[in-house]
Amino acid sequence: MDKPISRFPVPSLDEMPEDVRSRILAVQEKAGFVPNVFLTLAHRPDEFRAFFAYHDALMEKESGLSKAEREMIVVATSGANDCQYCVVAHGAILRVRARNPQIADQVAVNYRKADITPRQSAMLAFALKVSLHAAEVGEADFAALREHGFSDPDIWDIGAVAAFFAMSNRLANMTSMRPNDEFFLMGRLAKS
């Protein structure tokens, strides 16, 4: 049975504004498919633009966090928020960026048991607190991160990624966004 990718209408490419369509086609060219988040959010072009502008500002910039570490934050917090789409999609990206076929599953289920560094574990503890209990974040949380060498800009990045994806998790769950089949095997098998 072919299930819809969203409970909301998904516009066809020819119904989309040119800039939205161009972004989707560029992603398709690079990835070989269109992640369903792009098609789902194309339903609301202004929100599509704002979402991906903030996503790119957080996930693509130079940072004291590696791109794999930022994906770890997404996977851990998305697992805690029961967001199937984000765990599956960003789990695939994490496996590719970390060059580790097991890491995403470990982090999504229980980062405390994952094969990660103590620094990364401290990062994920803070990210989860921001995602689930932001009102409780205090000086002790910042001190714990500084003990692992995180700077204030790094701490902002951890918190901003966690906060952005907390919103994304809720949006993906509300829309019943389905993960693309392509994500499930990405980064799990050696390329032949």
Side-chain angles (χ1 to χ4, degrees), residues 59-186:
M59 303 301 285
E60 301 300 329
K61 71 177 184 168
E62 290 299 314
S63 170
L65 308 177
S66 70
K67 287 184 177 182
E69 287 172 331
R70 284 175 265 179
E71 294 296 340
M72 274 185 207
I73 293 168
V74 178
V75 172
T77 59
S78 296
N81 285 317
D82 296 322
C83 183
Q84 183 184 64
Y85 183 88
C86 293
V87 168
V88 172
H90 289 275
I93 298 167
L94 173 55
R95 288 189 298 273
V96 170
R97 290 199 166 153
R99 295 179 176 87
N100 180 337
Q102 290 93 25
I103 192 70
D105 297 328
Q106 293 175 355
V107 168
V109 173
N110 183 352
Y111 78 91
R112 293 167 203 85
K113 306 288 185 189
D115 296 326
I116 59 176
T117 67
R119 178 182 185 272
Q120 291 165 338
S121 186
M123 172 189 77
L124 294 179
F126 182 77
L128 282 159
K129 192 166 189 180
V130 170
S131 183
L132 302 172
H133 306 287
E136 298 172 15
V137 171
E139 282 306 312
D141 300 301
F142 288 86
L145 289 171
R146 287 187 189 106
E147 287 176 19
H148 288 279
F150 288 105
S151 67
D152 283 349
D154 296 338
I155 295 169
W156 179 286
D157 288 346
I158 296 166
V161 170
F164 176 78
F165 280 94
M167 181 273 297
S168 180
N169 296 158
R170 286 153 180 80
L171 191 59
N173 278 327
M174 184 271 296
T175 61
S176 297
M177 196 182 311
R178 289 185 53 76
N180 300 67
D181 291 345
E182 291 89 343
F183 284 128
F184 287 93
L185 293 180
M186 280 176 61

Side-chain angles (χ1 to χ4, degrees), residues 22-33:
S22 294
R23 173 80 189 251
I24 288 172
L25 292 173
V27 167
Q28 182 178 32
E29 177 72 23
K30 182 177 179 185
F33 67 100

